[in-house]
Amino acid sequence: MIQDNTRVAAVRERYKAAGQDHVFTFWDELSERERESFLLQLESFDPVALNITYAQATAFSKNTVIFADLSPLDPSEVQSTLTATSEEKDEWYTLGMKAIANNQAAVILLAGGQGTRLGSMLPKGCYPDIGLPSHKTLFQIQAERIFKLQELARMDRAKRSGQSLDSVPPVVVPWCIMTSGSTRHQAEVFLREQDYFGLSADNIIIFEQGVIPCFDKEGKFLLDQKNTIATSPNGNGGLYWALRREGVLDELAKRGVRYAHCYSVDNILIKIGDPIGIGHALETGADVTAKAMPKTRATEPLGMICRLGGKIKVVEYSEMDPGLAALIDDRTGESVYRTGYICNQICSLDLLQKISGILQNKGQDTLPYHPALKRIPHVDLRTGLFVHPEKPNGVKLELFIFDVFPLAERFACLEVERSREFSPMKNATGLDSPSTCRRDLERLHIRWIGEAGGHVEGKAIEQIGPRLSYAGEGLEWVKGKTIRAGALESRDDALFIKH
Ligand code: UTP
């Protein structure tokens, strides 16, 4: 316990040797209990190793030499759902649906981010103010899409096997939700209180990623309280380590899962467990299939999928050479580095196991940490007061999910249509905000109705509940009809005003 002075001295010595002993500034003011919890946290970190991580991460971001070896993907490496023939798409869909129906697909939600740009106190999945007519949150939309996908796959299996639907066992697409200290509790309580939006709790696996200390600009740990080092989630690349440590990979392997669709929580148009993407992975034998789309402008905040020394490399927008990002191909008039990464990928379970095994043996730091300059609230060492800086004052380090791509033996890139699959909620207002998400969902659903031969009256918001349609299918009944805007959860909600 705390009375053990040798233990305290040993910890102090380690932090002193690393030049981080300022963390003990308030030690004398702490109660025994506060000291004990602080010691536990201090012992969980290796300050010398963290200094090295900080130094490498900040040096890495300044290093522009690698850009000399960078090249865009060759167009032949990119397939697109926009240019694929309907036969190709049908084949991918059939393959994917078959795998889903055989319970070989899972979905992994990346929901550990702090959503600082959105500025909500709640995890993004529970964000209440998207303003949809149904008042749904992102978690609800996603849960309902999984529900519908399971139903579609079961129907598909019944059809293929010639069995009645009743004799086909339920299909399960496990929903693995990666949270962090910042989001876990609220996400867990929210989902439980909503009874998992109709999904079975047995098939929802909530797990937690790791954290890493926050640094000031000189590489010193910041304090969140007088007895706590400020920490932040260690980036969405913390996934691979967490999947193994939290037993998720074992669980998925036990269930016979072969492919996992990993996606970002904030994309309102996400096609969760997309059969076309999974079928594409099966057909190409890819262990990673990254969905992508052309960037709309050089400065669009999307990573760029490129090649570096022959290997696949995603360069985060904040780390890209601005000159290269702005290069235009004279022949096409498009950006040379056009292939935007949208944090939406299908990974084979074999690859996830391989990567997490490598990280377990060699340490999570095998992947590079990326620095981000942020405003980090902290305790001022001179005054002991908690301060909320107005300008960026420190550095958060993050692992990126795409930094394992060079380990893939076979990488595939599938371009998809933005208006059908991508609209992220990053900011509180303006671009990529709740209002653009609402607009894009509305436009897509109006389009689905148009494609099914129907018409929407007026400009008011339209929303088709995921249980009614996963991706525009099953809307034949709107043909020749005009629908008054609103939230359609079932056919009964539709008010036909003209026939
Ligand atoms: P972003 O990089 O957009 O981060 O994450 P964010 O936390 O949502 O927003 P900002 O940058 O703080 O404003 C892309 C995806 O990766 C997840 C996010 O939840 C989001 O789904 N993520 C990010 C994690 O799961 N863990 C992390 O540590 C960071």
Side-chain angles (χ1 to χ4, degrees), residues 54 58 215-220 222 373 391-395:
Y54 174 86
T58 44
F215 299 80
D216 70 12
K217 288 180 184 166
E218 275 71 51
K220 302 282 184 202
L222 288 167
L373 203 55
K391 290 193 200 134
N393 61 309
V395 175

Side-chain angles (χ1 to χ4, degrees), residues 109-119 124-125 178-180 183 209-210 232-239 263-267 301 316-317 342-343 372 374 396-401 424-427:
L109 165 60
L110 306 168
Q114 294 176 303
T116 42
R117 284 170 286 172
L118 185 63
K124 276 188 188 173
M178 182 169 82
T179 59
S180 64
T183 60
Q209 66 178 104
S232 59
N234 62 355
N236 53 23
L239 172 72
Y263 68 96
S264 172
V265 65
D266 48 29
N267 177 7
E316 182 62 340
Y317 61 93
I342 54 170
C343 200
K374 300 262 180 176
K396 289 186 181 177
L397 297 182
E398 285 188 284
L399 299 165
F400 288 166
I401 189 166
M425 191 167 77
K426 299 286 183 194
N427 308 305

Side-chain angles (χ1 to χ4, degrees), residues 26 179 223 369-370 379 454:
F26 304 104
T179 59
L223 289 183
Y369 272 97
H370 301 255
V379 175

